Amino acid sequence: MARSLNEWLWQHEFWLPPGITWEDMKESEEIHYPQPHHLLLSIPFALVLIVIRYFFERTVALPLSGKLGVRDKPRPKAQPNLVLETFYTTRCKHPREGELINLAKQCDLPVRNVERWFRRRRNADRPSVSKKFCEACWRFIFYIISFFTGLAVLYDKPWFWDHRECWTGYPQQPLQPSLFWYYLLELSFYCSLVFTLPFDVKRKDFKEQIVHHAATIFLISFSYCANYIRIGTLVMVIHDASDCFLEPTKIFNYMKWKKTCNCLFMIFSAVFLISRLVIYPYTVLYNTYYYSMEIFQPFLGYYFVNVLLMTLQLLHVFWSCLIIHMVYKFVLQGTMEKDMRSDTDESDKDEEVEKIKEKEKNGITHFSNNCIQRNGSQQQSNRTHLTNGHAKDR
């Protein structure tokens, strides 16, 4: 059964244009073509990247965060409570009002204390600023290396300047060693991101990130097997261009260098919007959809790769809307709004509000007591005792 499934999966009608078979893609001593089994190398390389990342974050990024003044805010810990902890882990992290009242009765605590416990417990699960800083440093290092590696590999390639060259001789386009290692680097990195998803910083667009990683891995893998190497390299370079500015923007934000962060964010916004909404559609989408049809007729692989490319474009539109909204707020207010994808601590706002309310109550009580005492003393001072024992107001 496995053999039948393998034969069905690798039918040349799925992967190659009409008239081309796998026999035409066999390697020789002089000519090498992409082979699907090459992709298996990405798994051990992804594990190597994870190990390198671990040591980089512990030995370089974390000490660097301390020297650059990145400090984690002190977070009050939630007191051990078996009932609340069981509800938190098995039911939900944001209980409703009725659930809070029931939990308060079970624990014999005020509802406000139960609310505070859940806030502190949720904050304990949120990543610290130093963790975010280390992650941003690692990604910044990779994107810089990847972007300039892509430029070095593609600078002298004809399809980098003339996009019609992406299809010259397709699919019988020999695989150059530099392109193979560039592909392996990118695929291994995104596989490592999938492996570390449970441990990385989770943002509000976590689901979109999963879709992005899955689409990227499928796109890289399929483009390699079907020898869409040339168009694939263009996609990777375009994506790395804006990411090189995003990660240092985060780094300076964690360092609280607001002016530098704002400048980098504006640069990132411009590069992202131009590269993802202008260059990518013309260089990649139009190229794959239209120019490729000058060489071969549509086939299943043609439709599949275009669906993956359009999925990436939809994600580009989603993130572009968030970026445009942040830029709009910046232009109007003059200050950069926090990253809407980030999940900030609740205790900073809610507990401060509670403290202010308590102070206000104490202040009102103290003020009213003073008024009572003052009025009482005034009333006593305004009354004089007469010799016959009767009091008389002055």
Side-chain angles (χ1 to χ4, degrees):
M1 182 177 180
R3 182 177 180 181
S4 300
L5 180 61
N6 185 65
E7 291 177 355
W8 175 84
L9 179 62
W10 295 105
Q11 295 182 63
H12 61 267
E13 292 86 359
F14 293 168
W15 300 85
L16 302 174
I20 304 295
T21 66
W22 291 114
E23 295 293 328
D24 301 319
M25 301 295 294
K26 283 189 174 180
E27 294 184 313
S28 64
E29 295 182 358
E30 298 179 354
I31 300 177
H32 298 279
Y33 293 114
Q35 301 298 320
H37 65 269
H38 293 165
L39 299 178
L40 297 176
L41 290 174
S42 62
I43 297 178
F45 272 83
L47 298 177
V48 171
L49 285 178
I50 293 175
V51 173
I52 295 175
R53 172 184 175 177
Y54 177 82
F55 284 102
F56 171 81
E57 291 185 353
R58 295 299 181 276
T59 61
V60 178
L62 190 58
L64 183 63
S65 66
K67 294 182 179 179
L68 294 178
V70 178
R71 297 287 184 270
D72 294 329
K73 293 182 179 180
R75 293 174 175 174
K77 294 183 179 180
Q79 296 296 325
N81 189 305
L82 182 59
V83 175
L84 299 181
E85 183 66 28
T86 303
F87 186 92
Y88 182 86
T89 55
T90 60
R91 296 284 297 278
C92 69
K93 299 180 179 180
H94 296 268
R96 299 177 181 178
E97 183 177 356
E99 294 171 332
L100 288 172
I101 295 175
N102 291 333
L103 290 171
K105 292 179 180 179
Q106 294 178 30
C107 300
D108 194 21
L109 293 172
V111 177
R112 178 177 295 180
N113 289 2
V114 177
E115 290 178 339
R116 183 183 295 113
W117 188 94
F118 274 94
R119 278 200 306 272
R120 292 179 176 180
R121 184 63 180 84
R122 287 192 296 265
N123 288 337
D125 288 344
R126 290 187 172 91
S128 61
V129 179
S130 58
K131 178 178 174 61
K132 295 178 182 179
F133 178 88
C134 294
E135 181 180 308
C137 287
W138 164 251
R139 297 196 181 198
F140 173 63
I141 293 297
F142 174 82
Y143 288 133
I144 284 291
I145 294 175
S146 178
F147 178 66
F148 284 101
T149 299
L151 291 181
V153 169
L154 297 177
Y155 180 78
D156 59 345
K157 303 299 186 294
W159 65 87
F160 187 68
W161 308 103
D162 184 3
H163 305 318
R164 292 178 184 266
E165 289 293 328
C166 290
W167 312 109
T168 301
Y170 180 83
Q172 294 172 308
Q173 298 171 337
L175 175 64
Q176 301 178 17
S178 59
L179 298 178
F180 167 75
W181 289 109
Y182 181 45
Y183 247 76
L184 186 61
L185 175 67
E186 291 278 353
L187 181 59
S188 301
F189 175 72
Y190 282 103
C191 287
S192 70
L193 291 184
V194 172
F195 295 156
T196 58
L197 270 177
F199 314 102
D200 288 342
V201 176
K202 291 181 176 61
R203 303 183 185 276
K204 293 181 181 179
D205 62 345
F206 179 71
K207 295 180 180 179
E208 289 80 4
Q209 285 286 352
I210 294 177
V211 175
H212 175 268
H213 295 342
T216 302
I217 291 175
F218 275 114
L219 181 60
I220 294 176
S221 302
F222 179 81
S223 64
Y224 187 85
C225 295
N227 205 11
Y228 280 104
I229 298 291
R230 297 184 178 182
I231 199 70
T233 53
L234 295 178
V235 173
M236 293 186 292
V237 168
I238 291 173
H239 280 72
D240 290 340
S242 59
D243 291 332
C244 291
F245 294 97
L246 174 61
E247 301 305 327
T249 302
K250 296 179 183 178
I251 291 173
F252 284 108
N253 180 49
Y254 303 143
M255 294 168 54
K256 300 187 182 302
W257 290 23
K258 296 301 181 183
K259 292 184 178 180
T260 306
C261 175
N262 293 344
C263 292
L264 282 175
F265 180 80
M266 298 304 294
I267 296 173
F268 159 74
S269 301
V271 174
F272 185 94
L273 296 176
I274 294 174
S275 62
R276 306 292 179 94
L277 299 184
V278 179
I279 298 178
Y280 178 83
Y282 173 73
T283 304
V284 177
L285 295 181
Y286 185 77
N287 188 7
T288 307
Y289 177 79
Y290 181 74
Y291 287 158
S292 61
M293 293 295 94
E294 298 177 353
I295 307 298
F296 54 80
Q297 296 298 316
F299 63 103
L300 183 61
Y302 163 81
Y303 295 113
F304 185 67
V305 74
N306 276 282
V307 167
L308 293 176
L309 293 173
M310 282 302 303
T311 302
L312 286 181
Q313 182 59 28
L314 292 177
L315 292 172
H316 297 164
V317 173
F318 170 77
W319 284 313
S320 296
C321 292
L322 296 181
I323 293 172
I324 292 173
H325 179 74
M326 294 179 69
V327 172
Y328 177 75
K329 289 288 186 180
F330 175 74
V331 173
L332 288 183
Q333 300 177 358
T335 57
M336 186 63 64
E337 186 180 273
K338 291 183 178 179
D339 188 356
M340 290 182 293
R341 302 183 308 148
S342 298
D343 198 10
T344 56
D345 287 359
E346 299 174 82
S347 60
D348 294 337
K349 293 181 179 180
D350 297 338
E351 291 191 3
E352 285 180 4
V353 170
E354 289 183 2
K355 291 179 181 179
I356 292 174
K357 289 181 179 179
E358 291 178 0
K359 289 181 179 179
E360 289 178 351
K361 290 181 180 179
N362 295 334
I364 293 173
T365 304
H366 181 69
F367 176 75
S368 60
N369 290 336
N370 287 341
C371 290
I372 293 173
Q373 293 176 359
R374 190 180 302 111
N375 292 336
S377 62
Q378 288 177 355
Q379 291 176 0
Q380 291 178 0
S381 62
N382 290 336
R383 299 168 68 92
T384 58
H385 294 277
L386 302 180
T387 56
N388 58 3
H390 295 283
K392 182 179 180 181
D393 293 339
R394 289 180 181 176

